[in-house]
C-alpha cells in the first residue's frame, strides 16, 4: 500500500517537474519570441531598416516573424519613396521663381517657399503658423483668398508691394489633397509691366513728336495758300520754316529706325582692335568746323599710347559726334569741349566734357531715355533720341555710358569700351 502510495507520489512529483520543465521550454519557445516580436513592433524605427532579424523557425511563430519582416521591409520602402518624393517637391518649390504659399482654412500659413519669402522679406521660421495677413500685409490677397474660399474656384488679383514689385496672385483651393487649404501662387510681373509702360509711353511719345511738326507744316501750308504766296519774302520765310520742320521729321524717322534696328539686334558690329586716339580723332576732326562756328574750343586730349579697344570704329564715331554735337548745343560761345580717355583694368573710359549749361540732377537720371529732353525750347531741333541711341550702341559693345554734371559749370559724358 505504502509502496503504491510512494509510487503515485513519485509519479506525481515527476509529472509536476516535467510539467514545469515543459512549461519553461514552451514559454521559451513560444512566448519569448512573441514578446520579442512585440518589442520589435513597439520599438519599430523607420530609419533603422536592419534592426529586425526574422527567425528561421518553420512553425507559425516563424511565419509570423517572417511576415512581420516582410511588412517592415515594404513599409520602409514606401517610406523611403515618400521621402524621395517629398524631397523632389521641396527642391522644385525652392527653385521656383514664383512665390508659393499654402494657407489653412483660417488663413494660417502652412508652407512658404524661398521665392515668396524673398518677395515679402520674411524667413520660414518666423512665419509658419502665423496668419497670412500679418505676413503679406496686403488686403487684396486676403480678399482674393476669401473669394476663393467662398466660391471654391481659382481667383486672381494683381497689386504693387511697398518695395515697388508688381505681383500677380492666383489663389486656388487645394481640394481634395488638402481640404480647406488654399494655394497662393505669386508671379513677379514687374519687368513685364515696365516693358508695357515703356511701349505705351513710346507710342504716345512718337505720336506726339510727329504731331507737332505735322501740325506746324499744316499751318504753314494753309497760310501760304491763304495768300502768303502772293508775298514772296513772306512765302520764302514760310518755306524755310517748312523745310526745317521736314528736316526735323526726317531726322526723327531716321533715328527711330536706327533705334529699332539696334534694339532688335539688326545692327551687325564690325568690331576690331582700335587705338583709342584714332577712334576719337576722326569724329573730332568732323566736328571741328561746327565747334569753330559756335566759337567753342574743341580739344582732343586722348593719349596716343593707350591699349587698343575692341570696337566698331564708325559706330563709336557716331556716338562721339552725337556727344560733341550736344556739348556744342548746350555750351555758350567761348566755352571748351575736351575729350579725354583713361585706362582701367579691363576697359578704357572716354569722357566728353563741356563748360556748358549743365544738367539738373533730376534730369540727369533720365536723359538716356527715349525722347527725353530737358528743356524743349532750348534743346532746339533735337529729337531726344540721340543719347538713347548712344546708350544702346555702347551697351552692344559691352560698355557703359553715364553722365556727371553741375548746373552752370558743365557736363561730362563718360563711356567705357572693353579692351581688345
Ligand atoms: P536731343 O536730340 O534732344 O539732343 P539727346 O538724347 O541727345 O536728345 O539728349 C537728351 C537731352 O539731354 C537734351 O535734350 C538735353 O536737354 C540734355 N543734354 C544732352 N547733352 C547735354 C549737354 N552736354 N549739356 C546739357 N544738357 C545736355
Amino acid at each position: 500500500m505504502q509502496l503504491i502510495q510512494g509510487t503515485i507520489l513519485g509519479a506525481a512529483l515527476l509529472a509536476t517537474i516535467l510539467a514545469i520543465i515543459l512549461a519553461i521550454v514552451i514559454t521559451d519557445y513560444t512566448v519569448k519570441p512573441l514578446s520579442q516580436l512585440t518589442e520589435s513592433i513597439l520599438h519599430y524605427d523607420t530609419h533603422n531598416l536592419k534592426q529586425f532579424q526574422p527567425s528561421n523557425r518553420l512553425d507559425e511563430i516563424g511565419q509570423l516573424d517572417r511576415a512581420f519582416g516582410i511588412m517592415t521591409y515594404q513599409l520602409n520602402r514606401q517610406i523611403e519613396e515618400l521621402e524621395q518624393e517629398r524631397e523632389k517637391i521641396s527642391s522644385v518649390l525652392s527653385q521656383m521663381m514664383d512665390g508659393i504659399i499654402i494657407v489653412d482654412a483660417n488663413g494660417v500659413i502652412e508652407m512658404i517657399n524661398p521665392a515668396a519669402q524673398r518677395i515679402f522679406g520674411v524667413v520660414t521660421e518666423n512665419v509658419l503658423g502665423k496668419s497670412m495677413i500679418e505676413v503679406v500685409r496686403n488686403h487684396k490677397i486676403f480678399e482674393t483668398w476669401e473669394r476663393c474660399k467662398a466660391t471654391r474656384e481659382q481667383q486672381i488679383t494683381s497689386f504693387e508691394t511697398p518695395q515697388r514689385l508688381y505681383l500677380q496672385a492666383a489663389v486656388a483651393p487645394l481640394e481634395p489633397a488638402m481640404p480647406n487649404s488654399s494655394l497662393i501662387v505669386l508671379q513677379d510681373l514687374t519687368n513685364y509691366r515696365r516693358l508695357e509702360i515703356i511701349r505705351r509711353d513710346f507710342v504716345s511719345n512718337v505720336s506726339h513728336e510727329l504731331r507737332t511738326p505735322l501740325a506746324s507744316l499744316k499751318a504753314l501750308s494753309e497760310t501760304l495758300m491763304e495768300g502768303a504766296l502772293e508775298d514772296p519774302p513772306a512765302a520764302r520765310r514760310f518755306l524755310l520754316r517748312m523745310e526745317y520742320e521736314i528736316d526735323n521729321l526726317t531726322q526723327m524717322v531716321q533715328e527711330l529706325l536706327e533705334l529699332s534696328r539696334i534694339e532688335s539686334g539688326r545692327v551687325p558690329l564690325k568690331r576690331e582692335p582700335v587705338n583709342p586716339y584714332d577712334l576719337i580723332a576722326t569724329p573730332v576732326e568732323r566736328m571741328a568746323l561746327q565747334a569753330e562756328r559756335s566759337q567753342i574750343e574743341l580739344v582732343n586730349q586722348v593719349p596716343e599710347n593707350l591699349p587698343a579697344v575692341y570696337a566698331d570704329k564708325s559706330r563709336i564715331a557716331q556716338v562721339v559726334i552725337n556727344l560733341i554735337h550736344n556739348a556744342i548745343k548746350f555750351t555758350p560761345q567761348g566755352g571748351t569741349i575736351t575729350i579725354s580717355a583713361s585706362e582701367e583694368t579691363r576697359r578704357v573710359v572716354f569722357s566728353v566734357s563741356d563748360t556748358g549749361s549743365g544738367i539738373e540732377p533730376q534730369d540727369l537720371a533720365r536723359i538716356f531715355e527715349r525722347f527725353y529732353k530737358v528743356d524743349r525750347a532750348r534743346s532746339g531741333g533735337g529729337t531726344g533720341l540721340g543719347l538713347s541711341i548712344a546708350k544702346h550702341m555702347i551697351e552692344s559693345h559691352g560698355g557703359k555710358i553715364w553722365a556727371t554734371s553741375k548746373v552752370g559749370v558743365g557736363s561730362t559724358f563718360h563711356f567705357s569700351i572693353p579692351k581688345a
Side-chain angles (χ1 to χ4, degrees):
M1 192 59 191
Q2 250 187 3
L3 187 71
I4 293 170
Q5 266 184 350
T7 313
I8 289 173
L9 232 126
L13 200 68
L14 195 70
T16 310
I17 289 167
L18 274 175
I20 289 170
I21 291 170
L22 208 66
I24 289 170
V25 170
I26 289 174
T27 308
D28 204 49
Y29 196 67
T30 57
V31 180
K32 211 165 149 196
L34 279 177
S35 58
Q36 272 172 0
L37 191 59
T38 313
E39 271 298 294
S40 296
I41 294 171
L42 284 176
H43 297 107
Y44 174 68
D45 179 358
T46 54
H47 297 290
N48 191 357
L49 261 173
K50 295 192 181 71
Q51 66 180 342
F52 184 74
Q53 298 289 335
S55 87
N56 38 21
R57 284 165 53 147
L58 295 173
D59 61 359
E60 283 77 2
I61 287 177
Q63 280 174 14
L64 182 65
D65 222 19
R66 280 191 294 281
F68 177 69
I70 291 167
M71 191 193 76
T72 313
Y73 173 74
Q74 285 173 345
L75 208 57
N76 279 327
R77 247 192 41 199
Q78 280 175 3
I79 288 169
E80 258 183 19
E81 277 171 16
L82 280 175
E83 271 177 3
Q84 275 172 9
E85 278 304 306
R86 206 181 57 185
E87 263 165 33
K88 257 191 241 165
I89 291 173
S90 98
S91 52
V92 167
L93 285 176
S94 60
Q95 292 305 318
M96 267 177 84
M97 302 289 279
D98 292 346
I100 303 277
I101 301 178
I102 294 177
V103 292
D104 71 6
N106 302 313
V108 170
I109 296 183
E110 295 183 318
M111 204 273 321
I112 181 164
N113 77 337
Q117 292 171 43
R118 277 196 298 276
I119 289 172
F120 297 112
V122 295
V123 285
T124 315
E125 302 81 62
N126 298 345
V127 294
L128 285 187
K130 273 204 183 151
S131 164
M132 143 178 82
I133 193 79
E134 277 180 68
V135 177
V136 303
R137 293 166 190 272
N138 183 285
H139 69 98
K140 271 193 160 178
I141 296 194
F142 195 74
E143 284 162 13
T144 313
W145 168 69
E146 284 188 321
R147 261 203 326 275
C148 167
K149 261 202 332 177
T151 58
R152 292 177 176 267
E153 278 175 7
Q154 189 190 57
Q155 303 289 332
I156 293 178
T157 187
S158 49
F159 60 94
E160 202 169 316
T161 68
Q163 295 78 32
R164 309 205 67 75
L165 291 179
Y166 188 77
L167 300 178
Q168 175 177 279
V171 188
L174 268 179
E175 281 159 359
M178 294 172 76
N180 301 324
S181 289
S182 313
L183 171 73
I184 304 171
V185 180
L186 298 147
Q187 269 186 306
D188 185 352
L189 301 183
T190 319
N191 273 339
Y192 293 108
R193 196 168 132 94
R194 198 174 51 81
L195 290 177
E196 178 56 27
I197 291 173
I198 289 176
R199 193 195 60 80
R200 218 174 43 207
D201 285 358
F202 181 67
V203 172
S204 88
N205 275 332
V206 172
S207 327
H208 177 81
E209 295 296 327
L210 291 176
R211 213 169 45 205
T212 318
L214 284 175
S216 153
L217 278 173
K218 174 100 180 128
L220 288 164
S221 63
E222 272 173 8
T223 323
L224 275 175
M225 279 193 288
E226 279 161 12
L229 260 183
E230 317 307 326
D231 173 1
R236 199 177 154 68
R237 253 197 344 269
F238 283 129
L239 283 173
L240 281 175
R241 286 271 316 274
M242 286 174 86
E243 195 185 15
Y244 171 80
E245 294 294 357
I246 290 169
D247 284 349
N248 241 352
L249 274 174
T250 314
Q251 191 195 344
M252 193 192 306
V253 171
Q254 266 169 2
E255 287 185 352
L256 276 173
L257 283 175
E258 173 84 356
L259 193 60
S260 116
R261 271 206 301 268
I262 301 174
E263 281 186 337
S264 57
R266 274 183 288 140
V267 176
L269 292 181
K270 291 193 215 84
R271 293 211 271 170
E272 54 184 346
V274 195
N275 175 278
Y277 181 84
D278 295 343
L279 194 62
I280 299 302
T282 321
V284 167
E285 273 163 32
R286 276 185 59 190
M287 294 306 284
L289 189 65
Q290 204 175 322
E292 203 181 296
R293 272 203 212 124
S294 305
Q295 294 175 30
I296 292 167
E297 199 185 350
L298 185 58
V299 188
N300 183 0
Q301 277 186 354
V302 176
E304 286 182 43
N305 59 352
L306 285 177
V309 288
Y310 195 49
D312 181 326
K313 222 177 148 186
S314 69
R315 294 281 170 189
I316 297 300
Q318 273 175 15
V319 172
V320 178
I321 287 177
N322 203 320
L323 295 179
I324 299 177
H325 184 80
N326 276 349
I328 294 176
K329 212 157 63 174
F330 295 98
T331 304
Q333 280 184 5
T336 310
I337 298 168
T338 313
I339 296 122
S340 53
S342 63
E343 182 187 351
E344 288 187 2
T345 326
R346 290 175 172 202
R347 56 184 199 170
V348 172
V349 177
F350 297 85
S351 310
V352 178
S353 217
D354 64 50
T355 55
S357 58
I359 306 164
E360 297 278 354
Q362 72 270 21
D363 297 316
L364 200 57
R366 302 194 56 192
I367 50 173
F368 293 98
E369 289 175 19
R370 281 181 281 199
F371 292 114
Y372 194 80
K373 295 186 214 165
V374 175
D375 180 344
R376 279 172 189 273
R378 272 195 317 146
S379 66
T383 55
L385 290 170
L387 285 179
S388 123
I389 292 176
K391 182 168 190 270
H392 275 288
M393 200 41 84
I394 296 297
E395 284 176 358
S396 63
H397 273 80
K400 282 207 167 72
I401 184 164
W402 67 101
T404 49
S405 187
K406 206 162 183 186
V407 177
V409 178
S411 316
T412 303
F413 284 78
H414 312 265
F415 66 88
S416 63
I417 308 215
K419 284 185 191 168

